Amino acid sequence: GKWKNKERVLIFSSRGINFRTRHLMQDLRTLMPHSKADTKMDRKDQLFVINEVCEMKNCNKCIFFEAKKKQDLYMWLSNTPQGPSAKFLVQNIHTLAELKMTGNCLRGSRPLLSFDPTFDKEPHYALLKELFIQIFSTPQYHPKSQPFVDHVFTFTVTDERIWFRNYQIIEEDASLVEIGPRFVLNLIKIFQGSFGGPTLYENPHYRSPNMHRRLIRLSVAAKFREKQQVREVQKIKKKGSKVLMEEDPTEVVFETPAEEKPVEIQLVKPESKPIVKDKKKPRKIQRKKQKKLFRTE
């Protein structure tokens, strides 16, 4: 057949990414034979510069990983240079090497794309579905692709997030075995242009990582304050005067007094004990004298 669909995807990142993001980026390049790589972009550069980079690389789609604060990872999916583009927060990343999955697929084979029914109900999900189809599907008769379909990319919407999974199709019974990688995309915004422009959709359920970490710190501080207040209340209780209970007249009802013993007066003087002389004492004295003489000599 003839290669007609000339989709090319540029997959690269900004500086400051960690090893996990680097492995995830390499896994996507391995699974997508129609992708291209480029050097890391400087953080000081503006995002619209990526459109020029895609034009130089002859790419019309782009997956850009943006790292912030060395712990937060954002993913841009864009149709360059006209748009639209979507920005996601990437969470729960697991790579091919890390998971050690039992599944395996042919390198360069074309995947099936499976979408949740929610993608057909909401308009912003329908737009994302078309963007995913154009980016992740391997063009037919691509020179680097294989004419086989042996794995599935699944996009599932759960908890207002998009869950990405990759499964192998086993020929015997058509069952699925997970290959990897896996990650969760939390949608932030959809823009009309490529890496900018008017906002088409903004996720109302999105909470930034900074806000999430701030809420965690506030909850920990609230627990600490509560413990301090409990300790202060206990100290005040200990220092306060104890309430004396009134005497109960019925407490001594069953107490019986002990019998008084008669006082005995001894009129006769007790006999003195006989003095027993120590027979060994003169010998001890004599030994001590001999020791003193021996020392003086």
Side-chain angles (χ1 to χ4, degrees):
K2 191 177 181 182
W3 177 33
K4 296 180 180 179
N5 185 9
K6 304 286 184 177
E7 294 283 352
R8 298 182 184 88
V9 183
L10 180 65
I11 303 176
F12 73 119
S13 68
S14 64
R15 295 193 180 278
I17 61 171
N18 54 11
F19 71 97
R20 195 184 296 273
T21 308
R22 188 170 64 251
H23 286 291
L24 174 64
M25 190 167 55
Q26 191 60 40
D27 292 343
L28 291 177
R29 289 172 183 167
T30 306
L31 293 171
M32 299 163 63
H34 61 293
S35 64
K36 288 189 176 182
D38 194 27
T39 56
K40 294 179 182 177
M41 195 181 78
D42 197 358
R43 282 187 245 175
K44 296 179 182 179
D45 295 340
Q46 298 295 326
L47 289 176
F48 59 81
V49 180
I50 300 174
N51 296 324
E52 299 177 5
V53 177
C54 291
E55 189 178 354
M56 290 166 60
K57 287 283 184 178
N58 196 19
C59 296
N60 50 5
K61 298 290 185 296
C62 180
I63 299 177
F64 177 68
F65 292 95
E66 186 180 7
K68 290 185 179 179
K69 293 188 175 181
K70 295 184 179 180
Q71 54 184 342
D72 302 330
L73 179 65
Y74 298 91
M75 178 193 284
W76 286 84
L77 300 179
S78 176
N79 179 21
T80 57
Q82 288 85 14
S85 60
K87 184 179 181 182
F88 301 91
L89 174 68
V90 188
Q91 299 171 328
N92 300 337
I93 301 172
H94 298 279
T95 58
L96 280 168
E98 180 185 354
L99 289 175
K100 297 180 181 178
M101 296 292 184
T102 56
N104 193 10
C105 65
L106 183 68
R107 186 185 179 95
S109 60
R110 300 179 65 225
L112 291 173
L113 299 184
S114 174
F115 290 93
D116 194 91
T118 315
F119 281 94
D120 298 325
K121 297 176 183 178
E122 301 288 339
H124 60 280
Y125 280 132
L127 178 61
L128 290 176
K129 178 181 178 181
E130 185 62 31
L131 197 61
F132 287 145
I133 289 172
Q134 294 183 15
I135 290 176
F136 287 98
S137 62
T138 304
Q140 194 174 12
Y141 305 118
H142 191 277
K144 293 183 180 179
S145 67
Q146 301 290 340
F148 302 103
V149 177
D150 59 352
H151 64 286
V152 186
F153 289 162
T154 62
F155 298 89
T156 312
V157 178
T158 307
D159 194 21
E160 305 297 335
R161 291 170 175 82
I162 300 171
W163 301 66
F164 176 86
R165 295 289 185 271
N166 181 20
Y167 296 98
Q168 177 197 358
I169 304 171
I170 300 176
E171 295 181 2
E172 288 79 7
D173 53 353
S175 60
L176 300 177
V177 179
E178 189 172 356
I179 305 171
R182 58 162 70 166
F183 52 88
V184 180
L185 299 176
N186 191 359
L187 178 63
I188 302 173
K189 283 184 180 181
I190 300 176
F191 300 96
Q192 185 177 353
S194 178
F195 296 98
T199 303
L200 297 178
Y201 175 78
E202 185 174 357
N203 188 6
H205 305 284
Y206 171 72
R207 183 184 293 169
S208 65
N210 292 332
M211 181 63 69
H212 182 67
R213 287 190 287 266
R214 180 174 175 272
L215 291 175
I216 292 173
R217 288 196 300 270
L218 288 175
S219 64
V220 173
K223 287 182 181 178
F224 180 75
R225 270 192 244 104
E226 187 178 352
K227 287 182 180 179
Q228 289 290 101
Q229 289 174 359
V230 171
R231 288 176 186 171
E232 289 175 0
V233 170
Q234 289 175 352
K235 286 181 181 178
I236 293 169
K237 285 183 178 179
K238 287 180 181 179
K239 288 180 180 178
S241 59
K242 295 181 180 179
V243 180
L244 297 175
M245 299 293 291
E246 295 181 359
E247 292 183 0
D248 190 3
T250 60
E251 281 185 355
V252 292
V253 171
F254 297 101
E255 290 183 2
T256 55
E259 294 181 359
E260 294 183 359
K261 293 182 180 180
V263 181
E264 295 181 358
I265 300 171
Q266 193 173 0
L267 301 174
V268 183
K269 184 180 177 182
E271 294 180 0
S272 60
K273 293 180 180 180
I275 301 169
V276 181
K277 291 184 178 180
D278 189 6
K279 295 179 180 180
K280 296 181 181 180
K281 194 171 182 180
R283 293 180 185 176
K284 290 179 181 178
I285 295 168
Q286 192 175 2
R287 284 175 190 169
K288 286 182 181 180
K289 287 180 180 179
Q290 287 178 357
K291 286 181 182 179
K292 284 183 181 179
L293 288 170
F294 179 74
R295 287 173 185 170
T296 52
E297 288 176 0

